[in-house]
Every structure is written in C-alpha cells, then in structure tokens.
Amino acid sequence: MIRLLLLSFLFTSHTATSIYDFKVPSLDGKTINFADYKGKMIMIVNTASKCGNTPQYAELEKLYRLYKNKLVIVGFPANNFNQQEPGTNSEIQEFCQKNYGVTFPMAEKVSVKGDDIHPLFKFLTDEAAKKGFTDPVKWNFTKFLLDEKGNLVTVIHNKVTPMSPEVIKYLN
C-alpha cells in the first residue's frame, strides 16, 4: 500500500512526457523501468486470467521469445471488465507461469480505465487519442505498440492475436 501511495504521489507531482518516465512494480516484487527498454519496441497489454482472450498469453509468450532482441512485452493485469482478473498479484503470477509459461515482464494489477486509471494507461490513452484512437481500451488484451524511440505506433484491438500478420508487420 505504501508503494502504491508513493507511486501515486510521484505521478501526480510529475507529469510523464515519455514512456521512459514510467517505473511500475512487477508481479515478482521488482520494478519494471521502461527506460531500460530504450532501443526496443514495447508492447503493453492489459491482461486478465478469466477472459475469452486469455489464451492470447501463449501467443504473447511466443512473440516475446521470437522477437526478444527487438521487442519487450509488458503485461498489466486488470480487473476492469466483468471482474475477469479477480486474483491477487501472486495468484496471477502463478496462473501465468503454470498455464502459459509466461517469461515476459508482468506488472502488478492496475486499473486501465475509469476514475482510477493507472497513470501509464492515462498516458497511453492520451497518446492514442492524438493518433485518432478514441477510447482504445475496450476490453482485456488491448495492445499498445511503441517503437524503439518510445513513440506510440498503433493500438491493436483485443481480438487481434499477437502472432497475426496485423501485428507481425510492425516487427519485420
């Protein structure tokens, strides 16, 4: 709780101007520092363990392994849609590893829309709006793809699978 309050304070007292300004707690108790990913593409995905799209974890892991030299994927569990991510952070971590062998970074559970939206998702939705994507996070497994310089390239609909040509075209 103290960590959450501290992060909230940091983000309310400092407005992010880049993805690289963000640091978030991970499911394993470490910190995900987006500045560490400069020079790589970044895919940020809001995830849920009890969603019809949950099998996308397998393709996200495959994509992460195939393109690990040029792409990092960061999952953000969220319970915003029909309570489809009810678990604790440790339960989510266990679920992802046991069922899908997830090795890509996973952040602690956040809110991806609404009054309690996490500052990172506020930043991403604001960037998406500048590119004409209105209300981009409509469901679990929406994917935000950023280029090697941290600029938003596109928002990929939640039904588009990670290994689809619609995604791969940005990586080749």
Side-chain angles (χ1 to χ4, degrees):
M1 183 63 154
I2 291 173
R3 182 193 281 177
L4 198 57
L5 290 172
L6 179 60
L7 283 171
S8 294
F9 172 75
L10 288 172
F11 287 120
T12 54
S13 62
H14 171 253
T15 303
T17 58
S18 164
I19 190 68
Y20 303 127
D21 293 334
F22 290 94
K23 294 179 184 179
V24 298
S26 65
L27 283 181
D28 63 7
K30 297 177 183 171
T31 299
I32 298 169
N33 181 353
F34 283 89
D36 292 344
Y37 304 136
K38 285 182 181 177
K40 284 191 171 192
M41 296 185 82
I42 303 169
M43 179 180 283
I44 297 171
V45 186
N46 66 304
T47 63
S49 300
K50 297 187 182 298
C51 174
N53 295 328
T54 300
Q56 286 190 30
Y57 270 126
E59 283 198 22
L60 287 167
E61 182 62 23
K62 184 176 181 181
L63 187 71
Y64 179 65
R65 289 178 187 219
L66 281 172
Y67 291 93
K68 65 182 171 186
N69 293 329
K70 69 187 317 185
L71 171 73
V72 66
I73 296 171
V74 183
F76 280 83
N79 199 32
N80 293 88
F81 304 103
N82 288 348
Q83 307 297 304
Q84 293 182 347
E85 187 55 271
T88 65
N89 289 319
S90 61
E91 290 169 338
I92 295 165
Q93 182 178 20
E94 182 181 340
F95 173 86
C96 290
Q97 289 174 346
K98 179 182 173 188
N99 295 293
Y100 296 101
V102 169
T103 61
F104 56 85
M106 290 287 295
E108 287 186 351
K109 188 159 67 170
V110 300
S111 179
V112 297
K113 45 184 325 152
D115 293 339
D116 60 344
I117 189 171
H118 187 277
L120 174 67
F121 277 84
K122 173 73 172 121
F123 172 79
L124 290 170
T125 56
D126 288 349
E127 291 299 302
K130 293 176 191 174
K131 293 195 167 284
F133 295 100
T134 55
D135 190 30
V137 184
K138 293 183 181 9
W139 203 253
N140 303 307
F141 290 87
T142 298
K143 301 151 205 72
F144 291 87
L145 185 64
L146 296 99
D147 68 16
E148 296 86 346
K149 294 180 182 175
N151 302 306
L152 182 68
V153 174
T154 192
V155 179
I156 301 163
H157 189 272
N158 59 285
K159 289 291 185 188
V160 175
T161 60
M163 293 299 298
S164 73
E166 191 173 332
V167 174
I168 300 299
K169 72 181 180 183
Y170 293 105
L171 302 172
N172 291 325

